[in-house]
PDB file of all heavy atoms in Angstrom:
ATOM      1  N   PHE A  27      11.676  -4.406  14.096  1.00 86.00           N
ATOM      2  CA  PHE A  27      10.931  -5.052  15.200  1.00 86.00           C
ATOM      3  C   PHE A  27       9.650  -5.767  14.697  1.00 86.00           C
ATOM      4  O   PHE A  27       8.979  -6.431  15.475  1.00 86.00           O
ATOM      5  CB  PHE A  27      10.494  -4.012  16.253  1.00 86.00           C
ATOM      6  CG  PHE A  27      11.639  -3.378  16.978  1.00 86.00           C
ATOM      7  CD1 PHE A  27      11.458  -2.106  17.583  1.00 86.00           C
ATOM      8  CD2 PHE A  27      12.806  -3.984  17.111  1.00 86.00           C
ATOM      9  CE1 PHE A  27      12.477  -1.541  18.255  1.00 86.00           C
ATOM     10  CE2 PHE A  27      13.866  -3.431  17.812  1.00 86.00           C
ATOM     11  CZ  PHE A  27      13.675  -2.140  18.373  1.00 86.00           C
ATOM     12  N   LEU A  28       9.385  -5.613  13.444  1.00 90.00           N
ATOM     13  CA  LEU A  28       8.116  -6.138  12.878  1.00 90.00           C
ATOM     14  C   LEU A  28       8.303  -7.367  11.999  1.00 90.00           C
ATOM     15  O   LEU A  28       9.329  -7.483  11.316  1.00 90.00           O
ATOM     16  CB  LEU A  28       7.453  -5.045  11.945  1.00 90.00           C
ATOM     17  CG  LEU A  28       7.136  -3.723  12.636  1.00 90.00           C
ATOM     18  CD1 LEU A  28       6.700  -2.707  11.553  1.00 90.00           C
ATOM     19  CD2 LEU A  28       6.093  -3.847  13.689  1.00 90.00           C
ATOM     20  N   ALA A  29       7.374  -8.285  12.005  1.00 94.00           N
ATOM     21  CA  ALA A  29       7.246  -9.273  11.023  1.00 94.00           C
ATOM     22  C   ALA A  29       6.439  -8.615   9.897  1.00 94.00           C
ATOM     23  O   ALA A  29       5.314  -8.128  10.178  1.00 94.00           O
ATOM     24  CB  ALA A  29       6.525 -10.484  11.550  1.00 94.00           C
ATOM     25  N   MET A  30       6.961  -8.631   8.722  1.00 96.00           N
ATOM     26  CA  MET A  30       6.338  -7.919   7.608  1.00 96.00           C
ATOM     27  C   MET A  30       6.152  -8.823   6.421  1.00 96.00           C
ATOM     28  O   MET A  30       6.853  -9.829   6.250  1.00 96.00           O
ATOM     29  CB  MET A  30       7.097  -6.652   7.213  1.00 96.00           C
ATOM     30  CG  MET A  30       7.270  -5.701   8.408  1.00 96.00           C
ATOM     31  SD  MET A  30       8.030  -4.129   7.929  1.00 96.00           S
ATOM     32  CE  MET A  30       6.680  -3.365   7.008  1.00 96.00           C
ATOM     33  N   ALA A  31       5.255  -8.456   5.495  1.00 98.00           N
ATOM     34  CA  ALA A  31       4.978  -9.223   4.322  1.00 98.00           C
ATOM     35  C   ALA A  31       4.365  -8.405   3.229  1.00 98.00           C
ATOM     36  O   ALA A  31       3.913  -7.250   3.461  1.00 98.00           O
ATOM     37  CB  ALA A  31       4.103 -10.360   4.641  1.00 98.00           C
ATOM     38  N   TRP A  32       4.381  -8.933   2.032  1.00 98.00           N
ATOM     39  CA  TRP A  32       3.629  -8.400   0.900  1.00 98.00           C
ATOM     40  C   TRP A  32       2.592  -9.484   0.535  1.00 98.00           C
ATOM     41  O   TRP A  32       2.868 -10.640   0.379  1.00 98.00           O
ATOM     42  CB  TRP A  32       4.528  -8.160  -0.339  1.00 98.00           C
ATOM     43  CG  TRP A  32       5.464  -6.970  -0.124  1.00 98.00           C
ATOM     44  CD1 TRP A  32       6.741  -7.001   0.288  1.00 98.00           C
ATOM     45  CD2 TRP A  32       5.079  -5.584  -0.381  1.00 98.00           C
ATOM     46  NE1 TRP A  32       7.247  -5.724   0.292  1.00 98.00           N
ATOM     47  CE2 TRP A  32       6.253  -4.819  -0.095  1.00 98.00           C
ATOM     48  CE3 TRP A  32       3.948  -4.943  -0.809  1.00 98.00           C
ATOM     49  CZ2 TRP A  32       6.308  -3.442  -0.211  1.00 98.00           C
ATOM     50  CZ3 TRP A  32       3.965  -3.563  -0.941  1.00 98.00           C
ATOM     51  CH2 TRP A  32       5.162  -2.824  -0.618  1.00 98.00           C
ATOM     52  N   TYR A  33       1.337  -8.950   0.381  1.00 98.00           N
ATOM     53  CA  TYR A  33       0.255  -9.733  -0.130  1.00 98.00           C
ATOM     54  C   TYR A  33      -0.202  -9.117  -1.449  1.00 98.00           C
ATOM     55  O   TYR A  33       0.096  -7.952  -1.728  1.00 98.00           O
ATOM     56  CB  TYR A  33      -0.890  -9.762   0.839  1.00 98.00           C
ATOM     57  CG  TYR A  33      -0.773 -10.646   2.058  1.00 98.00           C
ATOM     58  CD1 TYR A  33       0.084 -10.265   3.115  1.00 98.00           C
ATOM     59  CD2 TYR A  33      -1.415 -11.822   2.150  1.00 98.00           C
ATOM     60  CE1 TYR A  33       0.220 -11.089   4.207  1.00 98.00           C
ATOM     61  CE2 TYR A  33      -1.289 -12.664   3.232  1.00 98.00           C
ATOM     62  CZ  TYR A  33      -0.483 -12.295   4.256  1.00 98.00           C
ATOM     63  OH  TYR A  33      -0.296 -13.100   5.399  1.00 98.00           O
ATOM     64  N   ARG A  34      -0.993  -9.873  -2.158  1.00 98.00           N
ATOM     65  CA  ARG A  34      -1.614  -9.323  -3.379  1.00 98.00           C
ATOM     66  C   ARG A  34      -3.008  -9.899  -3.589  1.00 98.00           C
ATOM     67  O   ARG A  34      -3.263 -11.014  -3.153  1.00 98.00           O
ATOM     68  CB  ARG A  34      -0.723  -9.568  -4.643  1.00 98.00           C
ATOM     69  CG  ARG A  34      -0.614 -11.019  -5.023  1.00 98.00           C
ATOM     70  CD  ARG A  34       0.330 -11.161  -6.241  1.00 98.00           C
ATOM     71  NE  ARG A  34       0.476 -12.564  -6.683  1.00 98.00           N
ATOM     72  CZ  ARG A  34       1.321 -12.954  -7.632  1.00 98.00           C
ATOM     73  NH1 ARG A  34       2.181 -12.053  -8.133  1.00 98.00           N
ATOM     74  NH2 ARG A  34       1.391 -14.245  -7.938  1.00 98.00           N
ATOM     75  N   GLN A  35      -3.822  -9.137  -4.293  1.00 98.00           N
ATOM     76  CA  GLN A  35      -5.166  -9.567  -4.540  1.00 98.00           C
ATOM     77  C   GLN A  35      -5.510  -9.206  -5.981  1.00 98.00           C
ATOM     78  O   GLN A  35      -5.571  -8.035  -6.354  1.00 98.00           O
ATOM     79  CB  GLN A  35      -6.174  -8.980  -3.579  1.00 98.00           C
ATOM     80  CG  GLN A  35      -7.591  -9.553  -3.753  1.00 98.00           C
ATOM     81  CD  GLN A  35      -8.478  -9.192  -2.530  1.00 98.00           C
ATOM     82  OE1 GLN A  35      -8.206  -8.280  -1.836  1.00 98.00           O
ATOM     83  NE2 GLN A  35      -9.531  -9.918  -2.391  1.00 98.00           N
ATOM     84  N   ALA A  36      -5.759 -10.217  -6.799  1.00 96.00           N
ATOM     85  CA  ALA A  36      -6.139  -9.981  -8.195  1.00 96.00           C
ATOM     86  C   ALA A  36      -7.670  -9.924  -8.251  1.00 96.00           C
ATOM     87  O   ALA A  36      -8.326 -10.484  -7.348  1.00 96.00           O
ATOM     88  CB  ALA A  36      -5.600 -11.088  -9.082  1.00 96.00           C
ATOM     89  N   PRO A  37      -8.212  -9.329  -9.285  1.00 92.00           N
ATOM     90  CA  PRO A  37      -9.673  -9.241  -9.430  1.00 92.00           C
ATOM     91  C   PRO A  37     -10.336 -10.579  -9.402  1.00 92.00           C
ATOM     92  O   PRO A  37      -9.893 -11.541 -10.086  1.00 92.00           O
ATOM     93  CB  PRO A  37      -9.843  -8.595 -10.814  1.00 92.00           C
ATOM     94  CG  PRO A  37      -8.575  -7.797 -10.997  1.00 92.00           C
ATOM     95  CD  PRO A  37      -7.521  -8.614 -10.380  1.00 92.00           C
ATOM     96  N   GLY A  38     -11.338 -10.737  -8.512  1.00 94.00           N
ATOM     97  CA  GLY A  38     -12.044 -12.011  -8.436  1.00 94.00           C
ATOM     98  C   GLY A  38     -11.344 -13.098  -7.664  1.00 94.00           C
ATOM     99  O   GLY A  38     -11.857 -14.209  -7.616  1.00 94.00           O
ATOM    100  N   LYS A  39     -10.208 -12.799  -7.062  1.00 96.00           N
ATOM    101  CA  LYS A  39      -9.435 -13.789  -6.374  1.00 96.00           C
ATOM    102  C   LYS A  39      -9.183 -13.365  -4.910  1.00 96.00           C
ATOM    103  O   LYS A  39      -9.348 -12.204  -4.556  1.00 96.00           O
ATOM    104  CB  LYS A  39      -8.072 -14.021  -7.031  1.00 96.00           C
ATOM    105  CG  LYS A  39      -8.188 -14.650  -8.462  1.00 96.00           C
ATOM    106  CD  LYS A  39      -6.799 -15.040  -8.950  1.00 96.00           C
ATOM    107  CE  LYS A  39      -6.943 -15.700 -10.315  1.00 96.00           C
ATOM    108  NZ  LYS A  39      -5.591 -16.153 -10.817  1.00 96.00           N
ATOM    109  N   GLU A  40      -8.888 -14.351  -4.084  1.00 97.00           N
ATOM    110  CA  GLU A  40      -8.585 -14.050  -2.670  1.00 97.00           C
ATOM    111  C   GLU A  40      -7.209 -13.435  -2.532  1.00 97.00           C
ATOM    112  O   GLU A  40      -6.306 -13.657  -3.366  1.00 97.00           O
ATOM    113  CB  GLU A  40      -8.700 -15.321  -1.878  1.00 97.00           C
ATOM    114  CG  GLU A  40     -10.076 -15.902  -1.787  1.00 97.00           C
ATOM    115  CD  GLU A  40     -10.228 -17.025  -0.757  1.00 97.00           C
ATOM    116  OE1 GLU A  40      -9.173 -17.480  -0.238  1.00 97.00           O
ATOM    117  OE2 GLU A  40     -11.324 -17.497  -0.517  1.00 97.00           O
ATOM    118  N   ARG A  41      -7.056 -12.703  -1.469  1.00 97.00           N
ATOM    119  CA  ARG A  41      -5.676 -12.168  -1.181  1.00 97.00           C
ATOM    120  C   ARG A  41      -4.768 -13.288  -0.861  1.00 97.00           C
ATOM    121  O   ARG A  41      -5.085 -14.194  -0.084  1.00 97.00           O
ATOM    122  CB  ARG A  41      -5.849 -11.159   0.029  1.00 97.00           C
ATOM    123  CG  ARG A  41      -4.592 -10.269   0.227  1.00 97.00           C
ATOM    124  CD  ARG A  41      -4.848  -9.254   1.275  1.00 97.00           C
ATOM    125  NE  ARG A  41      -5.911  -8.254   0.862  1.00 97.00           N
ATOM    126  CZ  ARG A  41      -6.193  -7.199   1.502  1.00 97.00           C
ATOM    127  NH1 ARG A  41      -5.483  -6.875   2.600  1.00 97.00           N
ATOM    128  NH2 ARG A  41      -7.159  -6.414   1.107  1.00 97.00           N
ATOM    129  N   GLU A  42      -3.504 -13.166  -1.403  1.00 98.00           N
ATOM    130  CA  GLU A  42      -2.550 -14.219  -1.163  1.00 98.00           C
ATOM    131  C   GLU A  42      -1.239 -13.655  -0.745  1.00 98.00           C
ATOM    132  O   GLU A  42      -0.877 -12.532  -1.121  1.00 98.00           O
ATOM    133  CB  GLU A  42      -2.327 -15.045  -2.480  1.00 98.00           C
ATOM    134  CG  GLU A  42      -1.791 -14.267  -3.650  1.00 98.00           C
ATOM    135  CD  GLU A  42      -1.429 -15.153  -4.830  1.00 98.00           C
ATOM    136  OE1 GLU A  42      -1.520 -16.343  -4.780  1.00 98.00           O
ATOM    137  OE2 GLU A  42      -1.059 -14.546  -5.912  1.00 98.00           O
ATOM    138  N   LEU A  43      -0.527 -14.457   0.066  1.00 98.00           N
ATOM    139  CA  LEU A  43       0.790 -14.100   0.512  1.00 98.00           C
ATOM    140  C   LEU A  43       1.792 -14.188  -0.612  1.00 98.00           C
ATOM    141  O   LEU A  43       1.890 -15.258  -1.303  1.00 98.00           O
ATOM    142  CB  LEU A  43       1.205 -14.974   1.656  1.00 98.00           C
ATOM    143  CG  LEU A  43       2.588 -14.774   2.277  1.00 98.00           C
ATOM    144  CD1 LEU A  43       2.731 -13.364   2.874  1.00 98.00           C
ATOM    145  CD2 LEU A  43       2.872 -15.828   3.282  1.00 98.00           C
ATOM    146  N   VAL A  44       2.601 -13.186  -0.813  1.00 98.00           N
ATOM    147  CA  VAL A  44       3.630 -13.142  -1.856  1.00 98.00           C
ATOM    148  C   VAL A  44       4.999 -13.433  -1.243  1.00 98.00           C
ATOM    149  O   VAL A  44       5.716 -14.273  -1.776  1.00 98.00           O
ATOM    150  CB  VAL A  44       3.570 -11.777  -2.597  1.00 98.00           C
ATOM    151  CG1 VAL A  44       4.742 -11.710  -3.618  1.00 98.00           C
ATOM    152  CG2 VAL A  44       2.271 -11.559  -3.267  1.00 98.00           C
ATOM    153  N   ALA A  45       5.326 -12.666  -0.208  1.00 98.00           N
ATOM    154  CA  ALA A  45       6.647 -12.805   0.396  1.00 98.00           C
ATOM    155  C   ALA A  45       6.586 -12.244   1.804  1.00 98.00           C
ATOM    156  O   ALA A  45       5.749 -11.347   2.063  1.00 98.00           O
ATOM    157  CB  ALA A  45       7.718 -12.007  -0.455  1.00 98.00           C
ATOM    158  N   GLN A  46       7.431 -12.750   2.623  1.00 98.00           N
ATOM    159  CA  GLN A  46       7.497 -12.272   4.050  1.00 98.00           C
ATOM    160  C   GLN A  46       8.950 -12.198   4.532  1.00 98.00           C
ATOM    161  O   GLN A  46       9.766 -12.906   4.060  1.00 98.00           O
ATOM    162  CB  GLN A  46       6.611 -13.127   4.940  1.00 98.00           C
ATOM    163  CG  GLN A  46       6.982 -14.620   4.933  1.00 98.00           C
ATOM    164  CD  GLN A  46       5.924 -15.404   5.738  1.00 98.00           C
ATOM    165  OE1 GLN A  46       5.229 -14.900   6.618  1.00 98.00           O
ATOM    166  NE2 GLN A  46       5.826 -16.707   5.435  1.00 98.00           N
ATOM    167  N   ILE A  47       9.101 -11.328   5.508  1.00 97.00           N
ATOM    168  CA  ILE A  47      10.384 -11.134   6.141  1.00 97.00           C
ATOM    169  C   ILE A  47      10.147 -11.052   7.674  1.00 97.00           C
ATOM    170  O   ILE A  47       9.343 -10.199   8.124  1.00 97.00           O
ATOM    171  CB  ILE A  47      11.136  -9.906   5.551  1.00 97.00           C
ATOM    172  CG1 ILE A  47      12.549  -9.762   6.161  1.00 97.00           C
ATOM    173  CG2 ILE A  47      10.345  -8.610   5.707  1.00 97.00           C
ATOM    174  CD1 ILE A  47      13.437  -8.768   5.411  1.00 97.00           C
ATOM    175  N   ALA A  48      10.817 -11.901   8.379  1.00 94.00           N
ATOM    176  CA  ALA A  48      10.671 -11.924   9.811  1.00 94.00           C
ATOM    177  C   ALA A  48      11.495 -10.829  10.465  1.00 94.00           C
ATOM    178  O   ALA A  48      12.361 -10.221   9.762  1.00 94.00           O
ATOM    179  CB  ALA A  48      11.117 -13.266  10.385  1.00 94.00           C
ATOM    180  N   SER A  49      11.214 -10.499  11.671  1.00 91.00           N
ATOM    181  CA  SER A  49      11.944  -9.433  12.418  1.00 91.00           C
ATOM    182  C   SER A  49      13.478  -9.788  12.359  1.00 91.00           C
ATOM    183  O   SER A  49      14.325  -8.830  12.297  1.00 91.00           O
ATOM    184  CB  SER A  49      11.496  -9.269  13.832  1.00 91.00           C
ATOM    185  OG  SER A  49      11.540 -10.458  14.524  1.00 91.00           O
ATOM    186  N   GLY A  50      13.767 -11.075  12.353  1.00 91.00           N
ATOM    187  CA  GLY A  50      15.211 -11.455  12.360  1.00 91.00           C
ATOM    188  C   GLY A  50      15.836 -11.414  10.978  1.00 91.00           C
ATOM    189  O   GLY A  50      17.031 -11.607  10.821  1.00 91.00           O
ATOM    190  N   GLY A  51      14.994 -11.205   9.964  1.00 92.00           N
ATOM    191  CA  GLY A  51      15.458 -11.063   8.581  1.00 92.00           C
ATOM    192  C   GLY A  51      15.262 -12.253   7.689  1.00 92.00           C
ATOM    193  O   GLY A  51      15.533 -12.194   6.491  1.00 92.00           O
ATOM    194  N   THR A  52      14.803 -13.384   8.209  1.00 96.00           N
ATOM    195  CA  THR A  52      14.476 -14.527   7.413  1.00 96.00           C
ATOM    196  C   THR A  52      13.376 -14.211   6.398  1.00 96.00           C
ATOM    197  O   THR A  52      12.420 -13.633   6.767  1.00 96.00           O
ATOM    198  CB  THR A  52      14.097 -15.709   8.288  1.00 96.00           C
ATOM    199  OG1 THR A  52      15.120 -15.989   9.243  1.00 96.00           O
ATOM    200  CG2 THR A  52      13.860 -16.999   7.429  1.00 96.00           C
ATOM    201  N   THR A  53      13.591 -14.663   5.167  1.00 97.00           N
ATOM    202  CA  THR A  53      12.587 -14.401   4.143  1.00 97.00           C
ATOM    203  C   THR A  53      12.039 -15.682   3.537  1.00 97.00           C
ATOM    204  O   THR A  53      12.670 -16.769   3.647  1.00 97.00           O
ATOM    205  CB  THR A  53      13.222 -13.609   2.993  1.00 97.00           C
ATOM    206  OG1 THR A  53      14.312 -14.383   2.428  1.00 97.00           O
ATOM    207  CG2 THR A  53      13.744 -12.265   3.487  1.00 97.00           C
ATOM    208  N   SER A  54      10.838 -15.605   3.016  1.00 98.00           N
ATOM    209  CA  SER A  54      10.254 -16.702   2.320  1.00 98.00           C
ATOM    210  C   SER A  54       9.290 -16.199   1.240  1.00 98.00           C
ATOM    211  O   SER A  54       8.868 -14.992   1.310  1.00 98.00           O
ATOM    212  CB  SER A  54       9.512 -17.679   3.291  1.00 98.00           C
ATOM    213  OG  SER A  54       8.445 -16.979   3.919  1.00 98.00           O
ATOM    214  N   TYR A  55       9.016 -17.075   0.256  1.00 98.00           N
ATOM    215  CA  TYR A  55       8.288 -16.592  -0.900  1.00 98.00           C
ATOM    216  C   TYR A  55       7.272 -17.646  -1.350  1.00 98.00           C
ATOM    217  O   TYR A  55       7.420 -18.820  -1.137  1.00 98.00           O
ATOM    218  CB  TYR A  55       9.234 -16.412  -2.100  1.00 98.00           C
ATOM    219  CG  TYR A  55      10.309 -15.349  -1.842  1.00 98.00           C
ATOM    220  CD1 TYR A  55      11.519 -15.659  -1.206  1.00 98.00           C
ATOM    221  CD2 TYR A  55      10.071 -13.992  -2.148  1.00 98.00           C
ATOM    222  CE1 TYR A  55      12.439 -14.735  -0.964  1.00 98.00           C
ATOM    223  CE2 TYR A  55      11.030 -13.038  -1.898  1.00 98.00           C
ATOM    224  CZ  TYR A  55      12.236 -13.402  -1.291  1.00 98.00           C
ATOM    225  OH  TYR A  55      13.156 -12.411  -1.053  1.00 98.00           O
ATOM    226  N   ALA A  56       6.230 -17.173  -1.972  1.00 98.00           N
ATOM    227  CA  ALA A  56       5.266 -18.035  -2.678  1.00 98.00           C
ATOM    228  C   ALA A  56       5.979 -18.682  -3.841  1.00 98.00           C
ATOM    229  O   ALA A  56       6.844 -18.073  -4.445  1.00 98.00           O
ATOM    230  CB  ALA A  56       4.046 -17.274  -3.129  1.00 98.00           C
ATOM    231  N   ASP A  57       5.611 -19.897  -4.118  1.00 97.00           N
ATOM    232  CA  ASP A  57       6.248 -20.652  -5.211  1.00 97.00           C
ATOM    233  C   ASP A  57       6.094 -19.844  -6.542  1.00 97.00           C
ATOM    234  O   ASP A  57       7.001 -19.928  -7.402  1.00 97.00           O
ATOM    235  CB  ASP A  57       5.655 -22.022  -5.356  1.00 97.00           C
ATOM    236  CG  ASP A  57       6.077 -22.927  -4.255  1.00 97.00           C
ATOM    237  OD1 ASP A  57       7.059 -22.670  -3.587  1.00 97.00           O
ATOM    238  OD2 ASP A  57       5.369 -23.994  -4.094  1.00 97.00           O
ATOM    239  N   SER A  58       4.994 -19.212  -6.687  1.00 97.00           N
ATOM    240  CA  SER A  58       4.763 -18.468  -7.993  1.00 97.00           C
ATOM    241  C   SER A  58       5.711 -17.319  -8.263  1.00 97.00           C
ATOM    242  O   SER A  58       5.816 -16.888  -9.388  1.00 97.00           O
ATOM    243  CB  SER A  58       3.293 -18.025  -8.038  1.00 97.00           C
ATOM    244  OG  SER A  58       3.080 -17.094  -6.946  1.00 97.00           O
ATOM    245  N   VAL A  59       6.347 -16.820  -7.211  1.00 98.00           N
ATOM    246  CA  VAL A  59       7.259 -15.669  -7.425  1.00 98.00           C
ATOM    247  C   VAL A  59       8.700 -15.996  -7.061  1.00 98.00           C
ATOM    248  O   VAL A  59       9.580 -15.127  -7.258  1.00 98.00           O
ATOM    249  CB  VAL A  59       6.747 -14.455  -6.561  1.00 98.00           C
ATOM    250  CG1 VAL A  59       5.309 -14.150  -6.879  1.00 98.00           C
ATOM    251  CG2 VAL A  59       7.000 -14.690  -5.050  1.00 98.00           C
ATOM    252  N   LYS A  60       8.966 -17.194  -6.562  1.00 98.00           N
ATOM    253  CA  LYS A  60      10.319 -17.541  -6.175  1.00 98.00           C
ATOM    254  C   LYS A  60      11.256 -17.425  -7.338  1.00 98.00           C
ATOM    255  O   LYS A  60      11.012 -17.858  -8.397  1.00 98.00           O
ATOM    256  CB  LYS A  60      10.286 -18.936  -5.570  1.00 98.00           C
ATOM    257  CG  LYS A  60      11.381 -19.293  -4.622  1.00 98.00           C
ATOM    258  CD  LYS A  60      11.163 -20.646  -3.942  1.00 98.00           C
ATOM    259  CE  LYS A  60       9.997 -20.616  -3.041  1.00 98.00           C
ATOM    260  NZ  LYS A  60       9.789 -21.955  -2.302  1.00 98.00           N
ATOM    261  N   GLY A  61      12.386 -16.704  -7.011  1.00 97.00           N
ATOM    262  CA  GLY A  61      13.393 -16.534  -8.115  1.00 97.00           C
ATOM    263  C   GLY A  61      13.176 -15.257  -8.893  1.00 97.00           C
ATOM    264  O   GLY A  61      14.027 -14.878  -9.710  1.00 97.00           O
ATOM    265  N   ARG A  62      12.000 -14.645  -8.803  1.00 98.00           N
ATOM    266  CA  ARG A  62      11.675 -13.408  -9.539  1.00 98.00           C
ATOM    267  C   ARG A  62      11.527 -12.230  -8.622  1.00 98.00           C
ATOM    268  O   ARG A  62      11.849 -11.085  -9.034  1.00 98.00           O
ATOM    269  CB  ARG A  62      10.365 -13.616 -10.340  1.00 98.00           C
ATOM    270  CG  ARG A  62      10.457 -14.730 -11.364  1.00 98.00           C
ATOM    271  CD  ARG A  62       9.193 -14.721 -12.218  1.00 98.00           C
ATOM    272  NE  ARG A  62       7.964 -14.966 -11.501  1.00 98.00           N
ATOM    273  CZ  ARG A  62       6.982 -14.115 -11.535  1.00 98.00           C
ATOM    274  NH1 ARG A  62       6.999 -13.019 -12.232  1.00 98.00           N
ATOM    275  NH2 ARG A  62       5.876 -14.417 -10.830  1.00 98.00           N
TER     276      ARG A  62
END
């Protein structure tokens, strides 16, 4: 029932979106992690 995601925050950097999955199952990725 949830829209969920993974974020990450490196030292000295802002928190960034890594990947997300909608309640319906659709996924998307940051370009930096796509394919990995």
Side-chain angles (χ1 to χ4, degrees):
F27 295 155
L28 302 173
M30 300 186 73
W32 289 96
Y33 283 76
R34 68 184 181 187
Q35 188 166 19
K39 295 188 176 182
E40 293 188 353
R41 193 171 296 189
E42 63 174 355
L43 177 64
V44 175
Q46 55 188 338
I47 182 166
S49 56
T52 302
T53 60
S54 62
Y55 299 89
D57 287 343
S58 59
V59 307
K60 204 170 292 184
R62 299 188 297 123

